[in-house]
């Protein structure tokens, strides 16, 4: 497992991002959630990025759902990347399964399989792209809805 926080700069803007390499260990779900919360706290405390407390919880839930799905449906390693882009944090997950996830018909009596619907409801946007090594899922979450 590899984790890092980085600041990369250009003449136009400063991008803050963090990444976490994940293997197939189920304990990584909790680690990924903590990593997301630590990153958001870091950018708020060190760079003054406005991050609502509710946003931290929303991002942790999205990370949990995406990493759980990766562990269930993709073999091989995955990469979680968090990136501040303007007023949003992008939660990006790369995994080795090329199949796009599909939401199932809502059923309040069904146990499980609600993750993608939860992510779609909480994120401003949700995209899935095929890559040469699997897929990339990106959920954009507004950092501070009151701003």
């Amino acid at each position: 497992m590899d984790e890092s926080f980085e600041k990369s700069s250009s003449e136009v803007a400063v991008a803050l991002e963090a990444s976490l390499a994940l293997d197939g260990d189920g304990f990584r779900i909790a680690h990924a959630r903590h990593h997301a919360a630590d990153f958001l706290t870091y950018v708020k405390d060190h760079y003054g990025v406005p991050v609502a407390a509710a946003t931290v919880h929303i991002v942790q839930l999205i990370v949990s759902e995406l990493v759980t799905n990766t562990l269930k449906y993709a073999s091989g390693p995955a990469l979680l990347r968090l990136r501040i882009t303007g007023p949003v944090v992008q939660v990006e997950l790369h995994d080795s399964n090329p199949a796009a996830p599909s939401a199932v018909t809502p059923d309040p009596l069904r146990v499980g399989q609600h993750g993608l619907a939860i992510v779609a409801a909480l994120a401003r946007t949700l995209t899935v792209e095929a890559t040469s090594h699997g897929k990339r899922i990106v959920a954009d979450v507004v950092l501070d809805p009151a701003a």
Side-chain angles (χ1 to χ4, degrees), residues 13-53:
V14 173
L16 298 169
E17 65 179 52
S19 60
L20 178 65
L22 302 162
D23 55 24
D25 185 349
F27 293 110
R28 301 299 186 236
I29 298 167
H31 187 80
R33 280 193 309 262
H34 292 299
H35 183 72
D38 291 347
F39 171 69
L40 291 172
T41 300
Y42 178 81
V43 299
K44 181 178 180 181
D45 292 348
H46 289 84
Y47 295 98
V49 174
V51 179

PDB file of all heavy atoms in Angstrom, residues 13-53:
ATOM      1  N   ALA A  13      -2.684  27.313 -11.757  1.00  0.00           N
ATOM      2  CA  ALA A  13      -3.373  26.955 -10.525  1.00  0.00           C
ATOM      3  C   ALA A  13      -2.543  25.982  -9.709  1.00  0.00           C
ATOM      4  O   ALA A  13      -1.572  25.425 -10.185  1.00  0.00           O
ATOM      5  CB  ALA A  13      -4.718  26.317 -10.857  1.00  0.00           C
ATOM      6  N   VAL A  14      -2.962  25.788  -8.492  1.00  0.00           N
ATOM      7  CA  VAL A  14      -2.349  24.798  -7.620  1.00  0.00           C
ATOM      8  C   VAL A  14      -3.351  23.672  -7.444  1.00  0.00           C
ATOM      9  O   VAL A  14      -4.513  23.905  -7.113  1.00  0.00           O
ATOM     10  CB  VAL A  14      -2.003  25.418  -6.247  1.00  0.00           C
ATOM     11  CG1 VAL A  14      -1.524  24.353  -5.293  1.00  0.00           C
ATOM     12  CG2 VAL A  14      -0.952  26.502  -6.408  1.00  0.00           C
ATOM     13  N   ALA A  15      -2.908  22.451  -7.692  1.00  0.00           N
ATOM     14  CA  ALA A  15      -3.773  21.291  -7.515  1.00  0.00           C
ATOM     15  C   ALA A  15      -3.299  20.519  -6.300  1.00  0.00           C
ATOM     16  O   ALA A  15      -2.120  20.220  -6.162  1.00  0.00           O
ATOM     17  CB  ALA A  15      -3.726  20.406  -8.759  1.00  0.00           C
ATOM     18  N   LEU A  16      -4.209  20.230  -5.412  1.00  0.00           N
ATOM     19  CA  LEU A  16      -3.908  19.424  -4.241  1.00  0.00           C
ATOM     20  C   LEU A  16      -4.496  18.048  -4.468  1.00  0.00           C
ATOM     21  O   LEU A  16      -5.666  17.922  -4.835  1.00  0.00           O
ATOM     22  CB  LEU A  16      -4.508  20.066  -2.997  1.00  0.00           C
ATOM     23  CG  LEU A  16      -3.979  21.459  -2.665  1.00  0.00           C
ATOM     24  CD1 LEU A  16      -4.837  22.103  -1.583  1.00  0.00           C
ATOM     25  CD2 LEU A  16      -2.542  21.374  -2.219  1.00  0.00           C
ATOM     26  N   GLU A  17      -3.687  17.025  -4.232  1.00  0.00           N
ATOM     27  CA  GLU A  17      -4.200  15.681  -4.420  1.00  0.00           C
ATOM     28  C   GLU A  17      -3.523  14.697  -3.487  1.00  0.00           C
ATOM     29  O   GLU A  17      -2.452  14.968  -2.953  1.00  0.00           O
ATOM     30  CB  GLU A  17      -4.084  15.220  -5.862  1.00  0.00           C
ATOM     31  CG  GLU A  17      -2.689  15.051  -6.394  1.00  0.00           C
ATOM     32  CD  GLU A  17      -2.695  14.570  -7.830  1.00  0.00           C
ATOM     33  OE1 GLU A  17      -3.369  15.185  -8.677  1.00  0.00           O
ATOM     34  OE2 GLU A  17      -2.018  13.566  -8.092  1.00  0.00           O
ATOM     35  N   ALA A  18      -4.197  13.579  -3.294  1.00  0.00           N
ATOM     36  CA  ALA A  18      -3.683  12.491  -2.480  1.00  0.00           C
ATOM     37  C   ALA A  18      -4.001  11.196  -3.198  1.00  0.00           C
ATOM     38  O   ALA A  18      -5.006  11.094  -3.912  1.00  0.00           O
ATOM     39  CB  ALA A  18      -4.335  12.499  -1.103  1.00  0.00           C
ATOM     40  N   SER A  19      -3.144  10.208  -3.037  1.00  0.00           N
ATOM     41  CA  SER A  19      -3.413   8.914  -3.640  1.00  0.00           C
ATOM     42  C   SER A  19      -3.122   7.809  -2.643  1.00  0.00           C
ATOM     43  O   SER A  19      -2.334   7.976  -1.712  1.00  0.00           O
ATOM     44  CB  SER A  19      -2.589   8.731  -4.917  1.00  0.00           C
ATOM     45  OG  SER A  19      -1.207   8.812  -4.618  1.00  0.00           O
ATOM     46  N   LEU A  20      -3.781   6.687  -2.855  1.00  0.00           N
ATOM     47  CA  LEU A  20      -3.616   5.530  -1.994  1.00  0.00           C
ATOM     48  C   LEU A  20      -3.731   4.289  -2.857  1.00  0.00           C
ATOM     49  O   LEU A  20      -4.770   4.055  -3.478  1.00  0.00           O
ATOM     50  CB  LEU A  20      -4.695   5.529  -0.902  1.00  0.00           C
ATOM     51  CG  LEU A  20      -4.709   4.367   0.072  1.00  0.00           C
ATOM     52  CD1 LEU A  20      -3.437   4.366   0.926  1.00  0.00           C
ATOM     53  CD2 LEU A  20      -5.944   4.439   0.962  1.00  0.00           C
ATOM     54  N   ALA A  21      -2.654   3.515  -2.918  1.00  0.00           N
ATOM     55  CA  ALA A  21      -2.679   2.246  -3.642  1.00  0.00           C
ATOM     56  C   ALA A  21      -3.333   1.208  -2.743  1.00  0.00           C
ATOM     57  O   ALA A  21      -3.017   1.107  -1.557  1.00  0.00           O
ATOM     58  CB  ALA A  21      -1.259   1.828  -4.016  1.00  0.00           C
ATOM     59  N   LEU A  22      -4.251   0.440  -3.313  1.00  0.00           N
ATOM     60  CA  LEU A  22      -5.011  -0.551  -2.553  1.00  0.00           C
ATOM     61  C   LEU A  22      -4.774  -1.942  -3.108  1.00  0.00           C
ATOM     62  O   LEU A  22      -4.741  -2.131  -4.320  1.00  0.00           O
ATOM     63  CB  LEU A  22      -6.510  -0.233  -2.630  1.00  0.00           C
ATOM     64  CG  LEU A  22      -6.924   1.142  -2.133  1.00  0.00           C
ATOM     65  CD1 LEU A  22      -8.302   1.499  -2.642  1.00  0.00           C
ATOM     66  CD2 LEU A  22      -6.874   1.177  -0.618  1.00  0.00           C
ATOM     67  N   ASP A  23      -4.632  -2.905  -2.207  1.00  0.00           N
ATOM     68  CA  ASP A  23      -4.581  -4.292  -2.636  1.00  0.00           C
ATOM     69  C   ASP A  23      -5.918  -4.935  -2.277  1.00  0.00           C
ATOM     70  O   ASP A  23      -6.871  -4.235  -1.949  1.00  0.00           O
ATOM     71  CB  ASP A  23      -3.389  -5.021  -2.012  1.00  0.00           C
ATOM     72  CG  ASP A  23      -3.378  -4.932  -0.492  1.00  0.00           C
ATOM     73  OD1 ASP A  23      -4.447  -4.726   0.106  1.00  0.00           O
ATOM     74  OD2 ASP A  23      -2.298  -5.068   0.091  1.00  0.00           O
ATOM     75  N   GLY A  24      -6.013  -6.228  -2.316  1.00  0.00           N
ATOM     76  CA  GLY A  24      -7.281  -6.914  -2.090  1.00  0.00           C
ATOM     77  C   GLY A  24      -7.657  -7.112  -0.642  1.00  0.00           C
ATOM     78  O   GLY A  24      -8.603  -7.828  -0.343  1.00  0.00           O
ATOM     79  N   ASP A  25      -6.980  -6.481   0.270  1.00  0.00           N
ATOM     80  CA  ASP A  25      -7.242  -6.654   1.694  1.00  0.00           C
ATOM     81  C   ASP A  25      -8.464  -5.847   2.120  1.00  0.00           C
ATOM     82  O   ASP A  25      -8.515  -4.638   1.941  1.00  0.00           O
ATOM     83  CB  ASP A  25      -6.004  -6.197   2.474  1.00  0.00           C
ATOM     84  CG  ASP A  25      -6.103  -6.441   3.969  1.00  0.00           C
ATOM     85  OD1 ASP A  25      -7.200  -6.769   4.462  1.00  0.00           O
ATOM     86  OD2 ASP A  25      -5.071  -6.306   4.633  1.00  0.00           O
ATOM     87  N   GLY A  26      -9.460  -6.497   2.696  1.00  0.00           N
ATOM     88  CA  GLY A  26     -10.686  -5.834   3.124  1.00  0.00           C
ATOM     89  C   GLY A  26     -10.473  -4.762   4.179  1.00  0.00           C
ATOM     90  O   GLY A  26     -11.294  -3.867   4.332  1.00  0.00           O
ATOM     91  N   PHE A  27      -9.377  -4.837   4.932  1.00  0.00           N
ATOM     92  CA  PHE A  27      -9.093  -3.816   5.933  1.00  0.00           C
ATOM     93  C   PHE A  27      -8.768  -2.475   5.292  1.00  0.00           C
ATOM     94  O   PHE A  27      -8.760  -1.453   5.957  1.00  0.00           O
ATOM     95  CB  PHE A  27      -7.948  -4.252   6.851  1.00  0.00           C
ATOM     96  CG  PHE A  27      -8.298  -5.419   7.712  1.00  0.00           C
ATOM     97  CD1 PHE A  27      -7.725  -6.653   7.481  1.00  0.00           C
ATOM     98  CD2 PHE A  27      -9.224  -5.287   8.736  1.00  0.00           C
ATOM     99  CE1 PHE A  27      -8.059  -7.737   8.273  1.00  0.00           C
ATOM    100  CE2 PHE A  27      -9.555  -6.370   9.531  1.00  0.00           C
ATOM    101  CZ  PHE A  27      -8.975  -7.607   9.299  1.00  0.00           C
ATOM    102  N   ARG A  28      -8.509  -2.462   4.014  1.00  0.00           N
ATOM    103  CA  ARG A  28      -8.162  -1.226   3.315  1.00  0.00           C
ATOM    104  C   ARG A  28      -9.356  -0.291   3.179  1.00  0.00           C
ATOM    105  O   ARG A  28      -9.188   0.887   2.931  1.00  0.00           O
ATOM    106  CB  ARG A  28      -7.581  -1.523   1.927  1.00  0.00           C
ATOM    107  CG  ARG A  28      -6.337  -2.375   1.946  1.00  0.00           C
ATOM    108  CD  ARG A  28      -5.223  -1.695   2.721  1.00  0.00           C
ATOM    109  NE  ARG A  28      -4.008  -2.458   2.615  1.00  0.00           N
ATOM    110  CZ  ARG A  28      -3.320  -2.904   3.651  1.00  0.00           C
ATOM    111  NH1 ARG A  28      -3.723  -2.673   4.872  1.00  0.00           N
ATOM    112  NH2 ARG A  28      -2.218  -3.584   3.472  1.00  0.00           N
ATOM    113  N   ILE A  29     -10.562  -0.811   3.334  1.00  0.00           N
ATOM    114  CA  ILE A  29     -11.747   0.042   3.235  1.00  0.00           C
ATOM    115  C   ILE A  29     -11.694   1.105   4.326  1.00  0.00           C
ATOM    116  O   ILE A  29     -11.836   2.301   4.053  1.00  0.00           O
ATOM    117  CB  ILE A  29     -13.043  -0.788   3.319  1.00  0.00           C
ATOM    118  CG1 ILE A  29     -13.116  -1.782   2.153  1.00  0.00           C
ATOM    119  CG2 ILE A  29     -14.270   0.123   3.324  1.00  0.00           C
ATOM    120  CD1 ILE A  29     -14.186  -2.846   2.318  1.00  0.00           C
ATOM    121  N   ALA A  30     -11.471   0.690   5.547  1.00  0.00           N
ATOM    122  CA  ALA A  30     -11.381   1.640   6.662  1.00  0.00           C
ATOM    123  C   ALA A  30     -10.191   2.569   6.471  1.00  0.00           C
ATOM    124  O   ALA A  30     -10.282   3.776   6.725  1.00  0.00           O
ATOM    125  CB  ALA A  30     -11.279   0.906   7.994  1.00  0.00           C
ATOM    126  N   HIS A  31      -9.077   2.023   6.015  1.00  0.00           N
ATOM    127  CA  HIS A  31      -7.888   2.854   5.796  1.00  0.00           C
ATOM    128  C   HIS A  31      -8.162   3.921   4.735  1.00  0.00           C
ATOM    129  O   HIS A  31      -7.757   5.078   4.881  1.00  0.00           O
ATOM    130  CB  HIS A  31      -6.705   1.974   5.387  1.00  0.00           C
ATOM    131  CG  HIS A  31      -5.426   2.723   5.309  1.00  0.00           C
ATOM    132  ND1 HIS A  31      -4.674   3.039   6.417  1.00  0.00           N
ATOM    133  CD2 HIS A  31      -4.774   3.253   4.244  1.00  0.00           C
ATOM    134  CE1 HIS A  31      -3.612   3.724   6.041  1.00  0.00           C
ATOM    135  NE2 HIS A  31      -3.651   3.869   4.723  1.00  0.00           N
ATOM    136  N   ALA A  32      -8.866   3.543   3.675  1.00  0.00           N
ATOM    137  CA  ALA A  32      -9.191   4.492   2.604  1.00  0.00           C
ATOM    138  C   ALA A  32     -10.106   5.603   3.122  1.00  0.00           C
ATOM    139  O   ALA A  32      -9.930   6.773   2.773  1.00  0.00           O
ATOM    140  CB  ALA A  32      -9.835   3.756   1.429  1.00  0.00           C
ATOM    141  N   ARG A  33     -11.067   5.255   3.962  1.00  0.00           N
ATOM    142  CA  ARG A  33     -11.948   6.272   4.559  1.00  0.00           C
ATOM    143  C   ARG A  33     -11.146   7.259   5.401  1.00  0.00           C
ATOM    144  O   ARG A  33     -11.343   8.472   5.310  1.00  0.00           O
ATOM    145  CB  ARG A  33     -13.010   5.611   5.446  1.00  0.00           C
ATOM    146  CG  ARG A  33     -14.178   5.037   4.719  1.00  0.00           C
ATOM    147  CD  ARG A  33     -15.319   4.704   5.672  1.00  0.00           C
ATOM    148  NE  ARG A  33     -14.909   3.912   6.812  1.00  0.00           N
ATOM    149  CZ  ARG A  33     -15.028   2.586   6.908  1.00  0.00           C
ATOM    150  NH1 ARG A  33     -15.557   1.902   5.913  1.00  0.00           N
ATOM    151  NH2 ARG A  33     -14.632   1.951   7.986  1.00  0.00           N
ATOM    152  N   HIS A  34     -10.252   6.737   6.234  1.00  0.00           N
ATOM    153  CA  HIS A  34      -9.420   7.605   7.076  1.00  0.00           C
ATOM    154  C   HIS A  34      -8.494   8.469   6.223  1.00  0.00           C
ATOM    155  O   HIS A  34      -8.262   9.643   6.535  1.00  0.00           O
ATOM    156  CB  HIS A  34      -8.608   6.784   8.077  1.00  0.00           C
ATOM    157  CG  HIS A  34      -9.449   6.118   9.120  1.00  0.00           C
ATOM    158  ND1 HIS A  34     -10.244   6.809  10.007  1.00  0.00           N
ATOM    159  CD2 HIS A  34      -9.631   4.803   9.398  1.00  0.00           C
ATOM    160  CE1 HIS A  34     -10.871   5.952  10.791  1.00  0.00           C
ATOM    161  NE2 HIS A  34     -10.525   4.727  10.443  1.00  0.00           N
ATOM    162  N   HIS A  35      -7.973   7.892   5.167  1.00  0.00           N
ATOM    163  CA  HIS A  35      -7.090   8.629   4.259  1.00  0.00           C
ATOM    164  C   HIS A  35      -7.838   9.823   3.660  1.00  0.00           C
ATOM    165  O   HIS A  35      -7.300  10.933   3.583  1.00  0.00           O
ATOM    166  CB  HIS A  35      -6.583   7.682   3.167  1.00  0.00           C
ATOM    167  CG  HIS A  35      -5.622   8.294   2.225  1.00  0.00           C
ATOM    168  ND1 HIS A  35      -4.332   8.613   2.566  1.00  0.00           N
ATOM    169  CD2 HIS A  35      -5.751   8.645   0.921  1.00  0.00           C
ATOM    170  CE1 HIS A  35      -3.709   9.135   1.521  1.00  0.00           C
ATOM    171  NE2 HIS A  35      -4.549   9.169   0.512  1.00  0.00           N
ATOM    172  N   ALA A  36      -9.088   9.605   3.246  1.00  0.00           N
ATOM    173  CA  ALA A  36      -9.894  10.678   2.666  1.00  0.00           C
ATOM    174  C   ALA A  36     -10.145  11.781   3.690  1.00  0.00           C
ATOM    175  O   ALA A  36      -9.991  12.974   3.384  1.00  0.00           O
ATOM    176  CB  ALA A  36     -11.221  10.119   2.150  1.00  0.00           C
ATOM    177  N   ALA A  37     -10.503  11.404   4.907  1.00  0.00           N
ATOM    178  CA  ALA A  37     -10.751  12.402   5.953  1.00  0.00           C
ATOM    179  C   ALA A  37      -9.469  13.165   6.280  1.00  0.00           C
ATOM    180  O   ALA A  37      -9.500  14.394   6.435  1.00  0.00           O
ATOM    181  CB  ALA A  37     -11.295  11.732   7.214  1.00  0.00           C
ATOM    182  N   ASP A  38      -8.350  12.464   6.369  1.00  0.00           N
ATOM    183  CA  ASP A  38      -7.065  13.118   6.656  1.00  0.00           C
ATOM    184  C   ASP A  38      -6.695  14.113   5.561  1.00  0.00           C
ATOM    185  O   ASP A  38      -6.211  15.207   5.842  1.00  0.00           O
ATOM    186  CB  ASP A  38      -5.951  12.086   6.806  1.00  0.00           C
ATOM    187  CG  ASP A  38      -6.082  11.241   8.066  1.00  0.00           C
ATOM    188  OD1 ASP A  38      -6.886  11.599   8.957  1.00  0.00           O
ATOM    189  OD2 ASP A  38      -5.382  10.205   8.137  1.00  0.00           O
ATOM    190  N   PHE A  39      -6.922  13.733   4.310  1.00  0.00           N
ATOM    191  CA  PHE A  39      -6.608  14.623   3.189  1.00  0.00           C
ATOM    192  C   PHE A  39      -7.450  15.892   3.242  1.00  0.00           C
ATOM    193  O   PHE A  39      -6.931  17.006   3.109  1.00  0.00           O
ATOM    194  CB  PHE A  39      -6.813  13.897   1.862  1.00  0.00           C
ATOM    195  CG  PHE A  39      -6.715  14.804   0.664  1.00  0.00           C
ATOM    196  CD1 PHE A  39      -5.502  15.367   0.304  1.00  0.00           C
ATOM    197  CD2 PHE A  39      -7.829  15.107  -0.093  1.00  0.00           C
ATOM    198  CE1 PHE A  39      -5.406  16.219  -0.794  1.00  0.00           C
ATOM    199  CE2 PHE A  39      -7.747  15.950  -1.191  1.00  0.00           C
ATOM    200  CZ  PHE A  39      -6.530  16.509  -1.541  1.00  0.00           C
ATOM    201  N   LEU A  40      -8.754  15.740   3.456  1.00  0.00           N
ATOM    202  CA  LEU A  40      -9.631  16.911   3.501  1.00  0.00           C
ATOM    203  C   LEU A  40      -9.294  17.813   4.683  1.00  0.00           C
ATOM    204  O   LEU A  40      -9.326  19.038   4.561  1.00  0.00           O
ATOM    205  CB  LEU A  40     -11.092  16.481   3.518  1.00  0.00           C
ATOM    206  CG  LEU A  40     -11.579  15.845   2.213  1.00  0.00           C
ATOM    207  CD1 LEU A  40     -12.975  15.264   2.383  1.00  0.00           C
ATOM    208  CD2 LEU A  40     -11.529  16.838   1.068  1.00  0.00           C
ATOM    209  N   THR A  41      -8.959  17.231   5.807  1.00  0.00           N
ATOM    210  CA  THR A  41      -8.535  18.020   6.967  1.00  0.00           C
ATOM    211  C   THR A  41      -7.237  18.754   6.662  1.00  0.00           C
ATOM    212  O   THR A  41      -7.070  19.929   6.997  1.00  0.00           O
ATOM    213  CB  THR A  41      -8.363  17.118   8.202  1.00  0.00           C
ATOM    214  OG1 THR A  41      -9.624  16.495   8.480  1.00  0.00           O
ATOM    215  CG2 THR A  41      -7.892  17.901   9.415  1.00  0.00           C
ATOM    216  N   TYR A  42      -6.324  18.081   6.002  1.00  0.00           N
ATOM    217  CA  TYR A  42      -5.028  18.666   5.647  1.00  0.00           C
ATOM    218  C   TYR A  42      -5.195  19.883   4.730  1.00  0.00           C
ATOM    219  O   TYR A  42      -4.616  20.947   4.985  1.00  0.00           O
ATOM    220  CB  TYR A  42      -4.158  17.606   4.972  1.00  0.00           C
ATOM    221  CG  TYR A  42      -2.812  18.095   4.524  1.00  0.00           C
ATOM    222  CD1 TYR A  42      -1.760  18.210   5.423  1.00  0.00           C
ATOM    223  CD2 TYR A  42      -2.597  18.451   3.197  1.00  0.00           C
ATOM    224  CE1 TYR A  42      -0.510  18.660   5.013  1.00  0.00           C
ATOM    225  CE2 TYR A  42      -1.355  18.910   2.785  1.00  0.00           C
ATOM    226  CZ  TYR A  42      -0.318  19.009   3.691  1.00  0.00           C
ATOM    227  OH  TYR A  42       0.908  19.457   3.276  1.00  0.00           O
ATOM    228  N   VAL A  43      -5.995  19.750   3.675  1.00  0.00           N
ATOM    229  CA  VAL A  43      -6.148  20.876   2.745  1.00  0.00           C
ATOM    230  C   VAL A  43      -6.905  22.031   3.393  1.00  0.00           C
ATOM    231  O   VAL A  43      -6.657  23.189   3.076  1.00  0.00           O
ATOM    232  CB  VAL A  43      -6.793  20.475   1.393  1.00  0.00           C
ATOM    233  CG1 VAL A  43      -5.941  19.450   0.670  1.00  0.00           C
ATOM    234  CG2 VAL A  43      -8.211  19.970   1.563  1.00  0.00           C
ATOM    235  N   LYS A  44      -7.792  21.719   4.313  1.00  0.00           N
ATOM    236  CA  LYS A  44      -8.509  22.776   5.031  1.00  0.00           C
ATOM    237  C   LYS A  44      -7.559  23.510   5.969  1.00  0.00           C
ATOM    238  O   LYS A  44      -7.517  24.748   5.979  1.00  0.00           O
ATOM    239  CB  LYS A  44      -9.666  22.171   5.819  1.00  0.00           C
ATOM    240  CG  LYS A  44     -10.483  23.193   6.583  1.00  0.00           C
ATOM    241  CD  LYS A  44     -11.641  22.533   7.315  1.00  0.00           C
ATOM    242  CE  LYS A  44     -12.445  23.574   8.059  1.00  0.00           C
ATOM    243  NZ  LYS A  44     -13.557  22.972   8.791  1.00  0.00           N
ATOM    244  N   ASP A  45      -6.785  22.755   6.751  1.00  0.00           N
ATOM    245  CA  ASP A  45      -5.903  23.355   7.760  1.00  0.00           C
ATOM    246  C   ASP A  45      -4.674  24.040   7.174  1.00  0.00           C
ATOM    247  O   ASP A  45      -4.244  25.071   7.668  1.00  0.00           O
ATOM    248  CB  ASP A  45      -5.446  22.300   8.769  1.00  0.00           C
ATOM    249  CG  ASP A  45      -6.581  21.791   9.641  1.00  0.00           C
ATOM    250  OD1 ASP A  45      -7.679  22.402   9.640  1.00  0.00           O
ATOM    251  OD2 ASP A  45      -6.375  20.759  10.318  1.00  0.00           O
ATOM    252  N   HIS A  46      -4.085  23.464   6.115  1.00  0.00           N
ATOM    253  CA  HIS A  46      -2.834  23.989   5.578  1.00  0.00           C
ATOM    254  C   HIS A  46      -2.993  24.949   4.401  1.00  0.00           C
ATOM    255  O   HIS A  46      -2.105  25.757   4.142  1.00  0.00           O
ATOM    256  CB  HIS A  46      -1.908  22.845   5.178  1.00  0.00           C
ATOM    257  CG  HIS A  46      -1.353  22.111   6.349  1.00  0.00           C
ATOM    258  ND1 HIS A  46      -2.044  21.093   6.971  1.00  0.00           N
ATOM    259  CD2 HIS A  46      -0.201  22.263   7.031  1.00  0.00           C
ATOM    260  CE1 HIS A  46      -1.330  20.646   7.978  1.00  0.00           C
ATOM    261  NE2 HIS A  46      -0.202  21.333   8.044  1.00  0.00           N
ATOM    262  N   TYR A  47      -4.101  24.840   3.676  1.00  0.00           N
ATOM    263  CA  TYR A  47      -4.281  25.671   2.487  1.00  0.00           C
ATOM    264  C   TYR A  47      -5.534  26.521   2.536  1.00  0.00           C
ATOM    265  O   TYR A  47      -5.836  27.242   1.586  1.00  0.00           O
ATOM    266  CB  TYR A  47      -4.282  24.798   1.228  1.00  0.00           C
ATOM    267  CG  TYR A  47      -2.948  24.145   1.012  1.00  0.00           C
ATOM    268  CD1 TYR A  47      -2.728  22.839   1.413  1.00  0.00           C
ATOM    269  CD2 TYR A  47      -1.885  24.854   0.453  1.00  0.00           C
ATOM    270  CE1 TYR A  47      -1.495  22.246   1.254  1.00  0.00           C
ATOM    271  CE2 TYR A  47      -0.652  24.272   0.287  1.00  0.00           C
ATOM    272  CZ  TYR A  47      -0.456  22.968   0.692  1.00  0.00           C
ATOM    273  OH  TYR A  47       0.773  22.382   0.541  1.00  0.00           O
ATOM    274  N   GLY A  48      -6.298  26.425   3.615  1.00  0.00           N
ATOM    275  CA  GLY A  48      -7.491  27.239   3.758  1.00  0.00           C
ATOM    276  C   GLY A  48      -8.612  26.875   2.810  1.00  0.00           C
ATOM    277  O   GLY A  48      -9.502  27.682   2.556  1.00  0.00           O
ATOM    278  N   VAL A  49      -8.587  25.663   2.281  1.00  0.00           N
ATOM    279  CA  VAL A  49      -9.656  25.219   1.386  1.00  0.00           C
ATOM    280  C   VAL A  49     -10.925  25.032   2.221  1.00  0.00           C
ATOM    281  O   VAL A  49     -10.898  24.355   3.247  1.00  0.00           O
ATOM    282  CB  VAL A  49      -9.268  23.893   0.684  1.00  0.00           C
ATOM    283  CG1 VAL A  49     -10.414  23.350  -0.142  1.00  0.00           C
ATOM    284  CG2 VAL A  49      -8.030  24.092  -0.183  1.00  0.00           C
ATOM    285  N   PRO A  50     -12.028  25.657   1.808  1.00  0.00           N
ATOM    286  CA  PRO A  50     -13.261  25.511   2.589  1.00  0.00           C
ATOM    287  C   PRO A  50     -13.845  24.108   2.416  1.00  0.00           C
ATOM    288  O   PRO A  50     -14.216  23.716   1.313  1.00  0.00           O
ATOM    289  CB  PRO A  50     -14.192  26.571   2.004  1.00  0.00           C
ATOM    290  CG  PRO A  50     -13.684  26.796   0.614  1.00  0.00           C
ATOM    291  CD  PRO A  50     -12.202  26.533   0.654  1.00  0.00           C
ATOM    292  N   VAL A  51     -13.878  23.364   3.509  1.00  0.00           N
ATOM    293  CA  VAL A  51     -14.407  22.000   3.489  1.00  0.00           C
ATOM    294  C   VAL A  51     -15.452  21.892   4.596  1.00  0.00           C
ATOM    295  O   VAL A  51     -15.121  22.028   5.771  1.00  0.00           O
ATOM    296  CB  VAL A  51     -13.292  20.954   3.724  1.00  0.00           C
ATOM    297  CG1 VAL A  51     -13.883  19.547   3.719  1.00  0.00           C
ATOM    298  CG2 VAL A  51     -12.176  21.085   2.699  1.00  0.00           C
ATOM    299  N   ALA A  52     -16.688  21.675   4.219  1.00  0.00           N
ATOM    300  CA  ALA A  52     -17.755  21.510   5.209  1.00  0.00           C
ATOM    301  C   ALA A  52     -17.587  20.177   5.927  1.00  0.00           C
ATOM    302  O   ALA A  52     -17.137  19.190   5.335  1.00  0.00           O
ATOM    303  CB  ALA A  52     -19.115  21.569   4.530  1.00  0.00           C
ATOM    304  N   ALA A  53     -17.954  20.139   7.205  1.00  0.00           N
ATOM    305  CA  ALA A  53     -17.866  18.902   7.982  1.00  0.00           C
ATOM    306  C   ALA A  53     -18.687  17.794   7.330  1.00  0.00           C
ATOM    307  O   ALA A  53     -18.249  16.638   7.268  1.00  0.00           O
ATOM    308  CB  ALA A  53     -18.335  19.145   9.413  1.00  0.00           C
TER     309      ALA A  53
END
